Amino acid sequence: VRRIAGNGVDVVLNSLAGEAMERSIACLRPFGRFIELGKRDYVTNTHIGLRPFRKNLSYFGIDLAQLISNRPDVGARVYEEVMARFADGRFKPLPHSVFEADNIAEAFHLMQHSSHVGKIVVRRPRDGSVRAANKPLTIDTNGTHIVTGAFGGFGMETVKWLAERGARHMVLIGRSGAGTPDAKNLLRNLADRGIKVLADRCDVTDLRALERLFEKIGTTMPPVAGVIHAAMVLDDAIVKNLDQDRFHRVLAPKVTGAENLDLVTRGQPLDYFVLFSSVTTMIGNPGQGNYVAANAYLEGLARRRRREGLPALAIGWGPITDVGAVARSDKLLGNLKKLTGVNGMRAREALDLMVQAMEQPGDVPDLAVLTISPNDGSFRAGRLPVLRSPTYRYFVDAARGQSEEEAVGVDLRALVKNESPDVARRKVAGAVVTQVAHVLRCREEDVSLVRPLGEIGLDSLMALELVMNLEKCFGIDITLGGSAALSVLGVADEIIAHVTAPTSRPDPVMASLAEQHLQEVRPEQLVSATHTLEDDAVRRRVN
């Protein structure tokens, strides 16, 4: 550009938009040329006043893509001329920043913060630095494909998915068999498509029964090509309410079933061995300790098989919203989202993503376990302790995590001692509101002080989380019997009572025993017996 003192410039090469573009036009001297490289004003149909053009200005809109596409001969000639001038030094590159292809994240980071000058250039990958594409997944049309839990919601969708991808021989295992209308329709549809199906009520936890089934497969069907273990049972409860039977009920189908499938398929050249796990195995989920433990075993089994050179893949699924247990319970999905930040996905979307997982190299131990679950970016460390570990630092919402920590550390005894009862109650209630809003994932102003917490969405698992948060906040052990029936103010009163009247409150266990023996105590002995229980409770606390 040739500068003319006080009279503008001859040429403006522009890529700015809006007002900046209009001011650039104003910089031109008479008979100047405006060369427009940007496209934003074209797309938005920006209007330009004609007054500046009274100086015999010329406006040129340049779109090199159209030049190369519509006039390739001219485009090639111009390109060769420009590159020749760079080669002989007549042209110099404009300011720019260069990044290697394997550092493209830093390039986007620089652009995101608008801290660059000129263009950002990413070099093409060096020869040999790009891994070859994964081998596309193919379902063996001549082999037998086995699905356990095949008559559950997600299991049936998995069967349909296999059929659509070419499976022609299938063994469908379900402990309850194909007794539901949906399961019967599935079998009819598969038969209509010419797919040979063996539906069996085999219990995969029974090794001998599974061996007999595989003997039958060996004599009536082609060799086994792959196994998908989707069997599961849910029995949710907090850990203190889980006994051996409730643990076994959930662990057996997944743990024992997977172990048996591992044993009976040894020596068979499988294309795949897929185990359905859960995203809760990665981040935990209060109330599903048995389910999380069962899935953790599946993931360990997948890693063990990989180390032994056997095919294995455990997939930690997020909530499936259109079929299965979560689809039947909006409350279950809502609680999981509030607690962890994970969102749901439809079964077909999940299975299509499973294709990409199954296409990953099968000899890499670190790829034995993959988690497929969308999330809303609101993982919060205060909800699940495991999220505070370095592994999840990129998932946790740091701002929210900080605000949660700010609510911790209320000196309840000092507050009650130094403030009037009304002020102390108001401040404690404010802290309770913060924790209730945190648990319910709502705004603090939406939390009523007087409505029972159960009416505003607090269930038993949330109540447990609330108690844990309040204990951390106030630094005391808190027992809130029937917390869902209490209001915020009621909870505040209960908390203050732990400090102001520790000896006047009967121990809940002792009170329960007193109630059980109510019929055996004569009326004149009732008051004396109750006081004795309270005194015992106080002595136990002191000791």
Side-chain angles (χ1 to χ4, degrees):
V1 176
R2 180 166 60 89
R3 297 184 181 276
I4 307 297
N7 200 25
V9 298
D10 287 322
V11 179
V12 169
L13 185 65
N14 182 71
S15 62
L16 302 176
E19 182 182 357
M21 177 267 294
E22 295 181 16
R23 293 197 176 194
S24 297
I25 293 177
C27 293
L28 288 167
R29 68 187 293 265
F31 301 98
R33 299 179 182 182
F34 186 84
I35 312 298
E36 177 61 89
L37 299 180
K39 295 183 180 181
R40 183 183 303 176
D41 288 317
Y42 297 146
V43 174
T44 59
N45 195 27
T46 300
H47 294 276
I48 306 173
L50 292 176
R51 179 172 297 174
F53 293 91
R54 72 187 188 279
K55 297 186 294 183
N56 290 298
L57 304 182
S58 299
Y59 182 102
F60 297 89
I62 305 297
D63 185 347
L64 290 177
Q66 291 191 33
L67 176 65
I68 295 172
S69 175
N70 298 327
R71 302 185 64 179
D73 53 337
V74 176
R77 177 170 53 81
V78 171
Y79 178 78
E80 291 172 357
E81 181 180 347
V82 169
M83 296 307 298
R85 296 195 178 193
F86 274 112
D88 62 23
R90 284 181 290 173
F91 284 175
K92 301 292 184 183
L94 295 173
H96 61 282
S97 303
V98 180
F99 292 85
E100 299 298 330
D102 57 359
N103 199 26
I104 193 170
E106 287 298 322
F108 278 105
H109 182 74
L110 181 66
M111 183 171 64
Q112 179 184 13
H113 291 82
S114 301
S115 55
H116 60 289
V117 176
K119 298 295 184 181
I120 296 175
V121 179
V122 178
R123 296 186 188 275
R124 71 178 182 86
R126 297 183 300 275
D127 293 339
S129 64
V130 178
R131 180 177 56 82
N134 295 324
K135 182 180 179 181
L137 175 68
T138 57
I139 299 299
D140 186 358
T141 58
N142 297 318
T144 296
H145 303 269
I146 300 175
V147 180
T148 71
F151 302 115
F154 196 26
M156 285 196 288
E157 290 300 316
T158 303
V159 171
K160 297 174 187 177
W161 176 83
L162 281 170
E164 291 172 2
R165 297 192 71 87
R168 310 303 297 169
H169 309 273
M170 305 179 73
V171 176
L172 309 184
I173 301 175
R175 187 169 54 181
S176 300
T180 66
D182 288 342
K184 293 177 181 178
N185 288 334
L186 172 65
L187 296 182
R188 282 195 296 268
N189 291 336
L190 295 176
D192 291 342
R193 299 175 62 173
I195 298 174
K196 183 178 180 180
V197 177
L198 171 59
D200 199 287
R201 299 182 62 176
C202 175
D203 182 356
V204 292
T205 67
D206 184 341
L207 178 59
R208 184 62 194 125
L210 193 60
E211 289 173 338
R212 288 194 297 268
L213 174 60
F214 268 71
E215 291 170 0
K216 183 177 181 180
I217 294 171
T219 58
T220 62
M221 303 189 76
V224 176
V227 174
I228 296 180
H229 184 38
M232 62 167 286
V233 171
L234 289 178
D235 188 4
D236 295 351
I238 58 178
V239 172
K240 72 175 184 178
N241 292 336
L242 292 176
D243 54 24
Q244 183 175 350
D245 291 339
R246 297 185 74 173
F247 259 105
H248 177 75
R249 183 168 181 263
V250 174
L251 265 63
K254 282 184 172 287
V255 173
T256 308
E259 189 69 31
N260 289 342
L261 288 168
D262 172 54
L263 291 173
V264 297
T265 57
R266 294 271 170 162
Q268 301 193 34
L270 301 180
D271 295 334
Y272 61 88
F273 187 91
V274 178
L275 306 167
F276 280 7
S277 181
S278 167
V279 65
T280 59
T281 314
M282 180 178 73
I283 58 178
N285 189 24
Q288 289 192 321
N290 47 8
Y291 183 64
V292 171
N295 287 315
Y297 178 86
L298 297 187
E299 297 182 0
L301 175 61
R303 292 187 176 96
R304 187 183 76 192
R305 284 180 58 94
R306 285 270 182 127
R307 288 195 299 268
E308 295 173 354
L310 300 172
L313 173 65
I315 301 179
W317 292 116
I320 305 300
T321 58
D322 55 338
V323 294
V326 173
R328 295 191 296 269
S329 174
D330 292 338
K331 182 178 179 181
L332 182 59
L333 176 60
N335 289 347
L336 191 59
K337 182 175 181 179
K338 287 178 181 178
L339 186 66
T340 64
V342 299
N343 293 323
M345 54 185 168
R346 299 182 65 83
R348 186 48 55 98
E349 175 190 4
L351 292 168
D352 288 342
L353 290 172
M354 186 171 73
V355 173
Q356 299 179 38
M358 295 175 69
E359 289 176 345
Q360 299 300 312
D363 56 351
V364 181
D366 289 342
L367 295 178
V369 178
L370 296 175
T371 299
I372 301 177
S373 177
N375 74 84
D376 61 7
S378 61
F379 283 107
R380 299 172 69 173
R383 292 185 169 272
L384 295 171
V386 69
L387 294 180
R388 301 188 188 116
S389 68
T391 304
Y392 302 103
R393 67 182 183 272
Y394 294 116
F395 292 98
V396 175
D397 186 329
R400 290 184 178 177
Q402 182 179 2
S403 66
E404 290 164 12
E405 294 301 323
E406 291 172 354
V408 174
V410 176
D411 189 339
L412 183 61
R413 297 183 184 277
L415 179 64
V416 172
K417 178 180 179 181
N418 298 326
E419 302 287 354
S420 67
D422 288 342
V423 172
R425 189 185 192 218
R426 184 168 64 251
K427 290 185 177 181
V428 171
V432 173
V433 166
T434 298
Q435 296 303 327
V436 170
H438 168 58
V439 170
L440 295 178
R441 286 274 185 154
C442 66
R443 300 180 304 170
E444 292 187 16
E445 52 265 35
D446 293 335
V447 178
S448 169
L449 296 178
V450 296
R451 289 181 61 192
L453 297 178
E455 292 185 7
I456 61 177
L458 191 80
D459 61 20
S460 58
L461 290 178
M462 292 179 180
L464 175 63
E465 182 186 359
L466 175 62
V467 169
M468 294 170 61
N469 290 350
L470 291 175
E471 288 181 345
K472 183 178 180 182
C473 179
F474 293 104
I476 61 174
D477 292 332
I478 297 175
T479 301
L480 296 177
S483 56
L486 294 174
S487 65
V488 166
L489 291 177
V491 172
D493 291 340
E494 291 275 333
I495 292 172
I496 293 173
H498 277 75
V499 176
T500 58
T503 60
S504 64
R505 297 166 50 81
D507 184 285
V509 176
M510 296 298 102
S512 176
L513 290 173
E515 183 177 355
Q516 292 176 20
H517 294 283
L518 181 62
Q519 301 300 325
E520 300 178 7
V521 181
R522 295 193 301 274
E524 62 271 18
Q525 296 175 323
L526 180 58
V527 175
S528 175
T530 304
H531 280 300
T532 300
L533 290 171
E534 292 179 9
D535 293 340
D536 289 342
V538 172
R539 282 196 295 273
R540 287 193 297 107
R541 290 196 187 98
V542 172
N543 294 332

